[in-house]
Amino acid sequence: MTTGRRGRLTVYLGAAPGVGKTYAMLDEAHRRRARGTDVVIGLVETHGRAATIERIGDLEMLSRRLVEHRGSTLTELDVPAVLERAPEVVLVDELAHTNAPGSEHPKRWQDVHDLLDAGIDVVTTVNVQHLASLTDDVEAITGVRQRETVPDQVVRDADQIQLVDLSPEQLRRRLAHGNVYRAEQIDASMSSFFRVGNLTALRELALLWLADRVDDALTRYRADHSIGGTWPARERIVVAVTGGPETETLLRRAARIAQRAAGTELLAVHVLPTDGLPATPSSTIAAHRALVESLGGVFHTVVGEDVPSAVVDFARGVNATMIVVGVSRHPVWRQALLGSSSAEIARLSGTIDVHLVTHERARVGVGVRSRYSSLSPKRRAAGWGSALLIPALLTAALLVIGTDDVALATDAMLLLAGVVGVALIGGLWPAVVAAVVSNLCLNWFFAPPVGRFTIAEGENVLALAVFVVIAVAVASVVDLAARRTTQAYRARAEASTLAALSRSVLSGQDTAQAIVHRLAQTFAMADVRLEERTDDRAPWSVVAHERWVTDAEPAPASGGAEADPTVTEVVIDDRHRLVLAGRVLPASDRQVVEAFGVQAGIVLERRRLREQAAQAEVLERTESTRTALLAAVSHDLRTPLAVIRTAVDGLSSPDVELDREDRDVLTATIADSTHRLERLIGNLLDLSRIQTGAVRPALRAASLEEVVPIAVEPWLADLALDVPEDLPLVHTDPGLFERVVANVVSNAVRHSPPGAKVLFTASAARDAVELRVADTGPGVPDERKTTMFEPFQRLDDTSAGGLGLGLAVAAGLANAVGARISAEDTPGGGLTMVLTVPREMALDDGMAS
C-alpha cells in the first residue's frame, strides 16, 4: 500500500513490565476495528498471560518470520508480510526489541519506520526503562542495566503517546496473582526489580519524561497562536545572571528552589549590551555557563538595550513562572536616583513571580557600564574627550575676545551650547561632566571676583546653579532624542523591509532566497540559512542560503543559539527553521526575525500549494483524458473493428458464395476500416507522447516541397492546392510538421460538404511561412474556437470519423516544432485553419549576401 503519506505512530508507554501496555494496545485495536478500520497483529508478545491471549480474540494475526540462530529458532516481525498485506493499522509489541542476527535491521523500531514510510499506521509499546536517555538513571534505581534501548527521539516523534499508569501497590498485587510472571519467578521479582521504591521511582521517571513532551507541544501551540502571556503549566525558573561575583549565589539558590518540585526547569539568562561586546570577561561567562549546566540548567545569552526588559521578555518567551534576581550592588543613593534592575524587573514581570536574593556584595557599589548609552566605543571616547576640550576652547576664546562688556548670562549661554554639542557627540554622562567643567570655568574666569571660586553677587550664584541644571536637563533631552531617533530609524527600516517583503510575498513575486538575502542585509548577519526537512526524523536540508560576509564562517549544521551565542535558530514550524550566524542577536530583534520566519513560511506554503495545484491539474487532465478516451473507445474504436470482423466473416464463410465484385467491396471495406483504425491509434499514441513530453523534434532547414505533397496525398482529389514553388525554407522538423498538416487537412476534408473542395494555400511573410486550409463546412462558433484544440472535442460531430484527437495532436506537434495553429472563419461560411511556421532566417540571410 502506498498512500503518499507517512503512517501515524501511537506508543503505549509504561513505567514497568506488567502495567498493561499490551492489553491497552489490544483494546485500541478492537475499538478501531469496530469503527471499520483494517487492523492486524504484526507481533504481540503475550508472555503466556491468559488475559492477554484472551484479549487477542478474533483479531487477524500475521505469521512471524522464523530465524535460525545457534541451533535455535527465533521468531521476529515479518515486515515484508505486513507490507504485502497492507493493512491500515498494524500492532507491533516491544518497540525496543533487538532483532535476531541476520535480520534486515538490528532493532525493531527501525522495522517500524519501514512500515510508517509505507503509509501504515503502527501501534506499539515500550517501557520507560528502555529509553536511551534514562538508562543510567534506571540502573542507579534498580541496579539493572538495560541492554535493549530505543532512542528517545523515536518515541518523542510519535504522533500520540498514551501513558499506561498503575500504582506500585496495584502492580505488585497483579504480580502476586500470577498475572505478570510465572509462579516460580514471583518471589524473586517482588524482592528485586518490583520493590515499591523502584516502581515509584520508575513511575515518576515516566511521568516526568512524558511531561517534557507535553511541554514541547504546549510551546508550539503558544507560538502557533501568538500567545504572549505566561501559562503556569509547569514550573520554569529564570535566573538573571549579571556576571558579577554574586552570580554563583543566585544560581545555587535557584537550583535549590527548582529541586523542591520535580520537573522544574532552570534557565539562566545573561544580557549583553546592544553592541554585543560583553562587559564581563568571556572566561567568567564560560564558568557561569558550566555551573548552570552542572546544576541541570540551560544557559542563554541575549542582547538588550534595557536589561530588565530583556530579562522579562525572555522569561515570557519561555513561559517562565519565576524570575530569580539578586539585590542590586549599587549604593542606596544611586538606586534612589536611577532605580535598580531588580525593582524594574519586579515592576515589569506582571504575572511572573520575582524572587529577590540577597548576597554579600549587595549595595557595596560597583562600576558598571551605563545602560543608557547606545553609542559606539569611538563615539563615547570622543564624547569624554570633548567634555574637557570644548569647555576649555570656549573659555579660551571668550578670554581672547574679551568679555568685559558681555554679561555673565551670555558667557553661560555660549558654554551651554558647548555642553549641547558634547551631548550630541558622546551622550549624557560626558555632557554632565562638560556642564560641571563649564560651571567651574564660569566661576573662575567670568564671575566676580575673577580667579577665585567665590561669588560676589547673589544673582550670579543663582545663574551658575541654573546653568548646571539647564545643562544637565538639555543634555538629557538631547541624548534621549538621539537614542530615540536611532531607534525610530531602525524601526522604520525594519517596518519598511517587512512591508516590502509582505507585498512581494502576497503578490507571489518573492522567493525564499530573497527572504534570506533581505534578512542577512537587514540584520548584518554573516550567514543565514532557511532549512527544511521532510519529517521530524529527517536531517535538515538547505532551501535558501545567503553569505552576507564572504569571509565569515558558515553557521553550524545543527544546534543553535544554545550551542553558540552567535548562532540564532528561529523555528517556523516543525519542518522549517531559520539559522542566523555572525553575531549575538538582540532580544528586541527576535520578534522581527520571527516575522521574517512567518514570511518565509508563507513563501514555502505558497510553493507547496503551487506544486500541489500543478499536480492536481495534471491528475485532473489525465483523468479527464482517460474518461473521454474510455467513452470514445466504446464507439469509435469498436466500429471499425466490427466492420473489419464482419467483412472477414463474410470472406471466410464457406456458406456464402461471393463473386469477384463483392470480394473487392469487402476487401476495400477492410482496408478503409484498417486505415481509420491506424489513424485513430496513431493519434492516441501521438497525444500520449505529447502529454508526457516524449516528443523530441529535430529542427532543421526544410522545404515545403518535401512536406506538403506527402501530407496531403490521401486527399488530393478533395483539395485545391495553391503552393508556390519559390517559397523560402522553413525551420522545423519535417516528419512532425507533416503530421500537423495531415491532421489539419483530414479535419477540413471530413467537415466539408460532399463534392466541395478544400482550398490549400501557402504564402511567405517577413519571418514566417503561412499555410491556410479553408473549408466550406458548418464552421465553428467563436466561443468554441478556444477549446477545439483540446482532446476529444468532437464539436457536435456525431459521425464515426474519429475520436476528436486530430486537432489536439496537430496543436501539440505544432507547438513542439515551433509552429502556431489558429482558426478563422472562412468568408462565406466554413472554417480556415492557419499554420504559421518560422522561416530559416540564417539560410535566407546567407543567400541574400
Side-chain angles (χ1 to χ4, degrees):
M1 176 179 67
T2 302
T3 62
R5 72 168 183 91
R6 182 176 176 81
R8 293 176 59 83
L9 177 62
T10 300
V11 177
Y12 282 88
L13 175 68
V19 295
K21 302 180 304 303
T22 303
Y23 198 89
M25 179 178 67
L26 292 171
D27 280 344
E28 174 71 13
H30 283 288
R31 286 193 296 270
R32 294 199 186 196
R33 195 184 65 166
R35 296 194 299 263
T37 305
D38 181 18
V39 182
V40 302
I41 296 177
L43 187 145
V44 165
E45 298 290 358
T46 65
H47 299 289
R49 298 165 187 165
T52 305
I53 297 173
E54 180 182 355
R55 195 54 189 158
I56 292 176
D58 57 352
L59 290 174
E60 179 184 351
M61 184 180 299
L62 301 181
S63 61
R64 301 189 184 188
R65 182 171 56 87
L66 302 180
V67 180
E68 295 292 335
H69 178 61
R70 295 181 178 179
S72 300
T73 301
L74 307 177
T75 61
E76 298 291 353
L77 174 67
D78 194 340
V79 176
V82 178
L83 295 176
E84 183 179 359
R85 170 63 176 79
E88 294 179 70
V89 180
V90 61
L91 309 186
V92 180
D93 209 358
E94 297 187 359
L95 184 64
H97 172 75
T98 300
N99 291 329
S103 301
E104 181 179 358
H105 296 301
K107 303 292 291 186
R108 183 168 292 167
W109 63 263
Q110 295 171 313
D111 296 334
V112 167
H113 274 188
D114 290 346
L115 300 179
L116 295 174
D117 291 337
I120 300 174
D121 294 347
V122 177
V123 183
T124 187
T125 65
V126 69
N127 284 327
V128 70
Q129 67 261 29
H130 295 300
L131 297 174
S133 66
L134 302 179
T135 302
D136 293 337
D137 295 334
V138 172
E139 184 178 8
I141 293 169
T142 65
V144 178
R145 184 73 178 181
Q146 298 296 325
R147 292 176 298 175
E148 293 186 331
T149 61
V150 59
D152 288 46
Q153 197 61 37
V154 173
V155 183
R156 281 185 178 275
D157 291 339
D159 299 279
Q160 185 176 0
I161 300 178
Q162 296 283 350
L163 179 64
V164 183
D165 191 23
L166 203 63
S167 69
E169 293 75 13
Q170 289 176 303
L171 180 54
R172 284 172 59 85
R173 199 157 43 244
R174 290 193 62 194
L175 183 66
H177 291 164
N179 295 329
V180 179
Y181 293 143
R182 295 190 301 271
E184 61 271 18
Q185 296 178 293
I186 294 176
D187 291 339
S189 299
M190 293 186 69
S191 60
S192 57
F193 188 90
F194 285 85
R195 291 196 300 260
V196 173
N198 289 356
L199 297 179
T200 302
L202 291 175
R203 188 186 188 195
E204 184 179 25
L205 277 180
L207 291 171
L208 292 177
W209 189 92
L210 187 60
D212 283 336
R213 187 182 187 277
V214 174
D215 191 69
D216 291 341
L218 177 61
T219 301
R220 287 195 298 269
Y221 180 86
R222 294 177 68 247
D224 293 342
H225 293 79
S226 302
I227 298 174
T230 57
W231 285 6
R234 180 179 184 177
E235 290 295 326
R236 187 173 283 111
I237 298 175
V238 170
V239 186
V241 175
T242 63
E246 78 283 1
T247 297
E248 185 173 342
T249 302
L250 293 182
L251 292 175
R252 297 192 184 280
R253 182 69 57 83
R256 287 199 297 271
I257 296 174
Q259 291 172 358
R260 296 173 185 172
T264 301
E265 288 188 22
L266 178 65
L267 301 95
V269 58
H270 177 67
V271 181
L272 292 175
T274 53
D275 57 14
L277 299 175
T280 304
S282 58
S283 58
T284 302
I285 297 298
H288 292 162
R289 181 189 296 273
L291 176 60
V292 171
E293 293 173 352
S294 68
L295 295 173
V298 181
F299 192 93
H300 297 260
T301 303
V302 298
V303 175
E305 178 183 355
D306 183 72
V307 173
S309 298
V311 171
V312 174
D313 288 344
F314 175 83
R316 289 201 181 102
V318 299
N319 200 28
T321 55
M322 179 185 293
I323 301 175
V324 176
V325 294
V327 174
S328 176
R329 290 176 289 164
H330 297 303
V332 176
W333 66 266
R334 191 179 190 281
Q335 295 183 45
L337 291 176
L338 302 176
S340 66
S341 296
S342 56
E344 185 69 8
I345 289 174
R347 186 183 69 83
L348 297 174
S349 63
T351 59
I352 306 175
D353 295 338
V354 177
H355 188 90
L356 191 63
V357 178
T358 188
H359 51 87
E360 60 182 12
R361 299 288 299 177
R363 299 185 180 90
V364 300
V366 62
V368 296
R369 184 177 179 180
S370 174
R371 65 181 174 88
Y372 295 99
S373 178
S374 60
L375 303 176
S376 66
K378 291 183 178 179
R379 285 279 299 277
R380 289 196 299 274
W384 288 111
S386 62
L388 300 176
L389 185 61
I390 290 181
L393 292 176
L394 288 175
T395 300
L398 290 173
L399 291 174
V400 169
I401 64 176
T403 59
D404 295 340
D405 298 328
V406 180
L408 180 63
T410 303
D411 297 330
M413 291 300 296
L414 291 174
L415 288 172
L416 180 60
V419 173
V420 172
V422 174
L424 291 174
I425 296 173
L428 175 62
W429 294 111
V432 172
V433 173
V436 173
V437 173
S438 298
N439 180 65
L440 295 176
C441 291
L442 282 172
N443 192 346
W444 182 272
F445 292 104
F446 304 109
V450 177
R452 298 173 59 185
F453 284 115
T454 57
I455 302 174
E457 301 179 10
E459 62 181 17
N460 289 339
V461 175
L462 179 62
L464 292 176
V466 170
F467 171 82
V468 173
V469 173
I470 293 178
V472 173
V474 170
S476 300
V477 172
V478 170
D479 178 70
L480 179 63
R483 289 190 292 112
R484 292 292 180 263
T485 301
T486 302
Q487 295 171 1
Y489 280 140
R490 181 178 184 180
R492 186 174 66 178
E494 292 173 351
S496 176
T497 301
L498 286 175
L501 186 63
S502 299
R503 286 196 302 270
S504 58
V505 168
L506 294 176
S507 61
Q509 299 174 354
D510 218 325
T511 63
Q513 183 60 43
I515 287 178
V516 298
H517 174 77
R518 293 184 181 183
L519 191 59
Q521 183 180 25
T522 301
F523 295 97
M525 302 301 290
D527 186 275
V528 179
R529 289 201 310 270
L530 176 60
E531 299 179 342
E532 69 176 358
R533 56 182 177 182
T534 55
D535 58 64
D536 295 342
R537 285 173 292 272
W540 291 100
S541 61
V542 178
V543 176
H545 183 208
E546 179 69 24
R547 296 284 300 278
W548 187 246
V549 181
T550 57
D551 58 349
E553 292 294 328
S558 62
E562 315 314 329
D564 184 349
T566 64
V567 177
T568 301
E569 177 183 320
V570 176
V571 177
I572 300 174
D573 52 46
D574 290 341
R575 301 188 177 183
H576 300 94
R577 70 177 182 180
L578 282 168
V579 179
L580 304 89
R583 65 184 179 91
V584 178
L585 191 68
S588 59
D589 286 346
R590 288 190 67 93
Q591 293 181 345
V592 182
V593 175
E594 289 174 358
F596 271 88
V598 172
Q599 301 293 348
I602 293 175
V603 168
L604 296 174
E605 182 66 14
R606 285 177 62 91
R607 185 174 68 177
R608 185 182 66 82
L609 292 177
R610 282 198 302 268
E611 292 174 352
Q612 290 183 349
Q615 293 174 358
E617 182 180 355
V618 171
L619 291 175
E620 182 180 4
R621 187 166 58 248
T622 303
E623 184 64 24
S624 176
T625 301
R626 183 184 295 111
T627 302
L629 176 60
L630 291 175
V633 164
S634 65
H635 179 269
D636 292 288
L637 286 181
R638 290 199 310 179
T639 298
L641 288 174
V643 172
I644 293 172
R645 177 62 181 270
T646 302
V648 170
D649 289 343
L651 289 174
S652 61
S653 176
D655 300 329
V656 180
E657 292 289 340
L658 299 176
D659 56 23
R660 183 176 182 81
E661 183 178 352
D662 291 335
R663 287 181 173 276
D664 291 341
V665 171
L666 291 176
T667 303
T669 300
I670 293 174
D672 181 62
S673 297
T674 302
H675 177 70
R676 287 169 51 196
L677 191 60
E678 289 177 345
R679 187 170 68 250
L680 293 177
I681 293 175
N683 282 335
L684 285 173
L685 293 176
D686 286 340
L687 181 65
S688 174
R689 293 170 60 212
I690 292 170
Q691 291 186 339
T692 58
V695 176
R696 297 290 186 269
L699 302 178
R700 63 177 178 84
S703 170
L704 289 181
E705 293 181 357
E706 62 178 302
V707 175
V708 174
I710 300 176
V712 304
E713 181 179 3
W715 303 280
L716 281 176
D718 301 305
L719 294 178
L721 287 172
D722 182 13
V723 180
E725 296 181 357
D726 58 349
L727 288 174
L729 298 177
V730 295
H731 186 72
T732 187
D733 182 319
L736 295 180
F737 190 62
E738 175 190 322
R739 298 296 303 277
V740 175
V741 175
N743 281 2
V744 170
V745 172
S746 171
N747 183 74
V749 171
R750 189 168 63 252
H751 291 88
S752 293
K757 287 188 174 290
V758 173
L759 179 60
F760 188 109
T761 62
S763 60
R766 181 171 176 231
D767 57 356
V769 173
E770 189 175 86
L771 306 180
R772 304 177 70 87
V773 182
D775 64 60
T776 55
V780 176
D782 290 339
E783 63 272 14
R784 300 295 299 274
K785 286 188 174 71
T786 57
T787 61
M788 62 185 299
F789 295 105
E790 297 177 4
F792 307 106
Q793 300 298 316
R794 295 287 295 274
L795 301 178
D796 301 325
D797 178 18
T798 58
S799 68
L803 293 175
L805 296 178
L807 293 182
V809 172
L813 294 178
N815 182 68
V817 300
R820 299 192 306 274
I821 184 170
S822 59
E824 300 175 357
D825 291 330
T826 301
L831 183 70
T832 298
M833 303 298 294
V834 182
L835 282 171
T836 304
V837 58
R839 292 174 52 173
E840 181 67 18
M841 302 302 295
L843 292 180
D844 289 348
D845 294 344
M847 289 185 294
S849 61

